[in-house]
Amino acid sequence: MLFSDTYKTIEGESQGLFKDRGSRFIALALPVTSGEEIKARLAELRKEYHDARHHCFAWVLGPDRQAWRVSDDGEPSGTAGRPILAQINARELTNVLIVVIRYFGGTLLGVGGLINAYRSASADALDKATMVEKYIMERWFVSFPYTSMNDVMKVLRDESCDQSEHRYSGTDVTVEINFRASMADHITGRLKKISGLQMKWLATE
C-alpha cells in the first residue's frame, strides 16, 4: 500500500533559457504519462530543433517515481542528464519530461560549466511551470449479474467512483471503474460482498 495517494506534476508545458559564452540552452518541461508518449515528444523536438548540437533529457514516471531515465546526448558523461534529473527530483515531481536543447556557441564550457548550464535551464523551466497535485487512481473491471445492478450502483455512488460505459453480455454487466488508491481496500471490500460480482485490477496510475 502506498503511503500517500497523491503525487506532484506539472499542469502544462513550460520553457526555460540559460546562456553562457555564446551557447544557448533551451529547456522544455512537458507533462507525460507513458514511455510511448515520451518517445513521440522526443522525436518531435529533435525534428523541430534539428539544427541544435545536443538534445539532452531526463524523465520520471509513475506515482512512486521509480521509473526514470537520463541522456547526455553526446555531452561528457554526467554533465547534462543527471543535472536535469536533479531538478525534477528536488521538486519531487513525476510524469515529467525535461529536454534541454543546446545551440553551441563556439566556446567549450568545461564540466562545471555544463552542469551549471543544464541545471539552470531546467530550473528556469520548472520555475515557470504550474505545479499540481493529483490523486493516484486505481482502475478495475467489475463484472456482475444484471440483477445486482442496483447494489453495485449504490456502492459506486456512495464512494464517488468514476465509471465508463456499461457493457452488456447476456445477463451480465461489465463496468470499468476508477477510484482513489487510498480507498481501494474499502471500496473493493464493499463490492466483493455483492452476489456474483467479480473484479479484475487493471492499473494504478
Side-chain angles (χ1 to χ4, degrees), residues 17-49:
L17 177 65
F18 182 79
K19 298 178 181 179
D20 187 4
R21 284 167 278 181
S23 284
R24 288 188 298 131
F25 298 81
I26 302 168
L28 301 168
L30 314 168
V32 289
T33 57
S34 69
E36 291 74 17
E37 183 181 4
I38 290 170
K39 289 179 182 178
R41 298 310 303 269
L42 287 172
E44 291 171 4
L45 292 173
R46 287 184 184 279
K47 184 176 181 180
E48 181 177 354
Y49 296 91

XYZ file of all heavy atoms in Angstrom, residues 17-49:
266
model
N 15.391 29.146 -20.215
C 16.526 29.515 -21.061
C 17.725 29.876 -20.195
O 17.591 30.542 -19.165
C 16.152 30.712 -21.946
C 17.263 31.273 -22.849
C 17.674 30.247 -23.895
C 16.802 32.574 -23.502
N 18.906 29.416 -20.635
C 20.153 29.799 -19.979
C 21.192 30.028 -21.071
O 21.271 29.265 -22.040
C 20.632 28.708 -19.024
C 21.890 29.069 -18.279
C 21.850 29.907 -17.179
C 23.127 28.579 -18.697
C 23.012 30.253 -16.490
C 24.288 28.911 -18.018
C 24.227 29.753 -16.911
N 21.990 31.099 -20.913
C 23.025 31.419 -21.887
C 24.376 31.515 -21.190
O 24.470 32.024 -20.075
C 22.725 32.756 -22.577
C 21.428 32.785 -23.374
C 21.195 34.163 -23.986
C 19.899 34.220 -24.765
N 19.667 35.579 -25.350
N 25.398 31.020 -21.877
C 26.755 31.110 -21.325
C 27.759 31.076 -22.467
O 27.798 30.105 -23.233
C 27.008 29.947 -20.361
C 28.340 30.081 -19.622
O 29.030 31.103 -19.798
O 28.685 29.154 -18.862
N 28.532 32.137 -22.592
C 29.620 32.232 -23.574
C 29.178 31.828 -24.985
O 29.849 31.074 -25.685
C 30.813 31.391 -23.119
C 31.607 32.050 -21.996
C 32.568 31.093 -21.342
N 31.902 30.268 -20.339
C 32.525 29.350 -19.604
N 33.821 29.132 -19.776
N 31.853 28.644 -18.708
N 28.034 32.327 -25.376
C 27.548 32.103 -26.734
C 26.652 30.901 -26.908
O 25.908 30.814 -27.888
N 26.705 29.947 -25.981
C 25.825 28.778 -26.069
C 24.455 29.107 -25.475
O 24.361 29.799 -24.454
C 26.419 27.584 -25.318
O 27.469 26.999 -26.054
N 23.410 28.609 -26.134
C 22.046 28.773 -25.630
C 21.502 27.401 -25.227
O 21.613 26.434 -25.984
C 21.134 29.384 -26.696
C 21.388 30.846 -26.961
C 20.318 31.423 -27.875
N 20.309 30.775 -29.172
C 19.220 30.302 -29.770
N 18.041 30.383 -29.169
N 19.295 29.734 -30.963
N 20.907 27.340 -24.061
C 20.317 26.108 -23.540
C 18.815 26.354 -23.361
O 18.404 27.086 -22.461
C 20.956 25.717 -22.212
C 22.427 25.424 -22.311
C 23.355 26.457 -22.313
C 22.883 24.115 -22.412
C 24.719 26.197 -22.404
C 24.249 23.845 -22.504
C 25.167 24.887 -22.504
N 18.022 25.769 -24.234
C 16.568 25.935 -24.195
C 15.976 24.705 -23.513
O 16.121 23.580 -24.003
C 15.985 26.071 -25.610
C 16.622 27.260 -26.333
C 14.466 26.221 -25.557
C 16.317 27.302 -27.823
N 15.328 24.904 -22.378
C 14.748 23.789 -21.622
C 13.236 23.761 -21.811
O 12.561 24.776 -21.637
C 15.078 23.921 -20.140
N 12.720 22.597 -22.158
C 11.286 22.401 -22.323
C 10.822 21.368 -21.309
O 11.289 20.223 -21.319
C 10.974 21.923 -23.746
C 11.434 22.870 -24.860
C 11.347 22.188 -26.209
C 10.598 24.129 -24.851
N 9.925 21.768 -20.420
C 9.353 20.859 -19.423
C 7.965 20.456 -19.896
O 7.128 21.317 -20.196
C 9.277 21.536 -18.061
N 7.726 19.142 -19.964
C 6.488 18.623 -20.540
C 5.837 17.611 -19.602
O 6.522 16.732 -19.069
C 6.773 17.929 -21.878
C 7.684 18.653 -22.867
C 8.100 17.712 -23.979
C 6.976 19.856 -23.436
N 4.519 17.679 -19.415
C 3.829 16.616 -18.673
C 3.670 15.396 -19.574
O 3.293 15.530 -20.745
C 2.470 17.245 -18.336
C 2.247 18.265 -19.412
C 3.608 18.762 -19.816
N 3.980 14.208 -19.053
C 3.886 12.966 -19.828
C 3.311 11.867 -18.936
O 3.365 11.957 -17.708
C 5.263 12.526 -20.370
C 5.741 13.459 -21.473
C 6.304 12.469 -19.253
N 2.780 10.823 -19.575
C 2.177 9.744 -18.793
C 2.651 8.348 -19.189
O 2.280 7.370 -18.541
C 0.638 9.780 -18.915
O 0.269 9.682 -20.301
C 0.078 11.072 -18.328
N 3.468 8.230 -20.254
C 3.897 6.901 -20.679
C 5.203 6.983 -21.458
O 5.578 8.046 -21.974
C 2.829 6.251 -21.571
O 2.740 6.934 -22.820
N 5.874 5.828 -21.560
C 7.096 5.759 -22.337
C 6.859 6.048 -23.805
O 7.694 6.665 -24.477
N 5.711 5.608 -24.321
C 5.382 5.847 -25.724
C 5.231 7.341 -25.996
O 5.689 7.852 -27.028
C 4.087 5.118 -26.101
C 4.193 3.609 -26.130
C 4.249 2.983 -24.746
O 3.888 3.677 -23.759
O 4.663 1.811 -24.649
N 4.581 8.042 -25.068
C 4.418 9.484 -25.235
C 5.768 10.189 -25.194
O 6.018 11.125 -25.963
C 3.503 10.043 -24.147
C 3.220 11.534 -24.299
C 2.321 12.086 -23.207
O 1.971 11.327 -22.271
O 1.979 13.283 -23.280
N 6.649 9.742 -24.314
C 7.978 10.341 -24.219
C 8.738 10.176 -25.532
O 9.340 11.127 -26.046
C 8.765 9.718 -23.052
C 8.169 10.171 -21.714
C 10.247 10.092 -23.134
C 8.721 9.437 -20.518
N 8.716 8.972 -26.099
C 9.408 8.731 -27.369
C 8.879 9.645 -28.463
O 9.645 10.197 -29.262
C 9.242 7.266 -27.780
C 10.017 6.289 -26.923
C 9.777 4.857 -27.387
C 10.503 3.860 -26.499
N 10.239 2.455 -26.923
N 7.557 9.814 -28.497
C 6.950 10.659 -29.522
C 7.355 12.117 -29.350
O 7.688 12.811 -30.322
C 5.430 10.522 -29.474
N 7.347 12.605 -28.101
C 7.708 14.004 -27.856
C 9.178 14.259 -28.174
O 9.538 15.306 -28.718
C 7.403 14.398 -26.406
C 5.942 14.324 -26.003
C 5.010 15.041 -26.973
N 5.309 16.434 -27.189
C 4.795 17.434 -26.483
N 3.951 17.184 -25.499
N 5.102 18.686 -26.764
N 10.044 13.301 -27.830
C 11.463 13.459 -28.141
C 11.684 13.526 -29.651
O 12.474 14.346 -30.140
C 12.265 12.304 -27.540
C 12.451 12.325 -26.019
C 13.091 11.028 -25.545
C 13.303 13.520 -25.587
N 10.974 12.671 -30.390
C 11.103 12.674 -31.848
C 10.629 14.008 -32.427
O 11.255 14.566 -33.344
C 10.303 11.520 -32.443
N 9.537 14.536 -31.890
C 9.015 15.822 -32.360
C 10.024 16.947 -32.123
O 10.252 17.791 -33.000
C 7.708 16.153 -31.632
C 6.535 15.261 -32.008
C 5.339 15.490 -31.100
O 5.410 16.402 -30.236
O 4.343 14.766 -31.246
N 10.622 16.946 -30.930
C 11.552 18.020 -30.591
C 12.852 17.916 -31.381
O 13.436 18.938 -31.762
C 11.830 18.012 -29.087
C 10.631 18.394 -28.212
C 10.953 18.203 -26.739
C 10.215 19.837 -28.478
N 13.306 16.688 -31.632
C 14.512 16.528 -32.454
C 14.270 17.055 -33.871
O 15.168 17.635 -34.492
C 14.934 15.061 -32.498
C 15.552 14.562 -31.203
C 16.049 13.135 -31.336
N 16.554 12.623 -30.077
C 17.756 12.868 -29.583
N 18.597 13.638 -30.266
N 18.134 12.358 -28.430
N 13.056 16.845 -34.362
C 12.715 17.340 -35.700
C 12.586 18.859 -35.697
O 13.081 19.543 -36.601
C 11.405 16.703 -36.161
C 10.995 17.077 -37.572
C 9.736 16.331 -37.992
C 9.337 16.697 -39.419
N 8.104 15.970 -39.842
N 11.926 19.399 -34.663
C 11.718 20.846 -34.592
C 13.032 21.595 -34.404
O 13.250 22.659 -35.002
C 10.765 21.172 -33.444
C 10.457 22.655 -33.307
C 9.449 22.946 -32.203
O 8.898 21.978 -31.620
O 9.213 24.139 -31.920
N 13.912 21.044 -33.552
C 15.204 21.685 -33.276
C 16.325 20.870 -33.922
O 17.327 20.554 -33.283
C 15.421 21.791 -31.769
C 14.428 22.687 -31.059
C 13.244 22.161 -30.534
C 14.664 24.051 -30.909
C 12.327 22.977 -29.880
C 13.760 24.873 -30.260
C 12.589 24.328 -29.746
O 11.688 25.144 -29.099
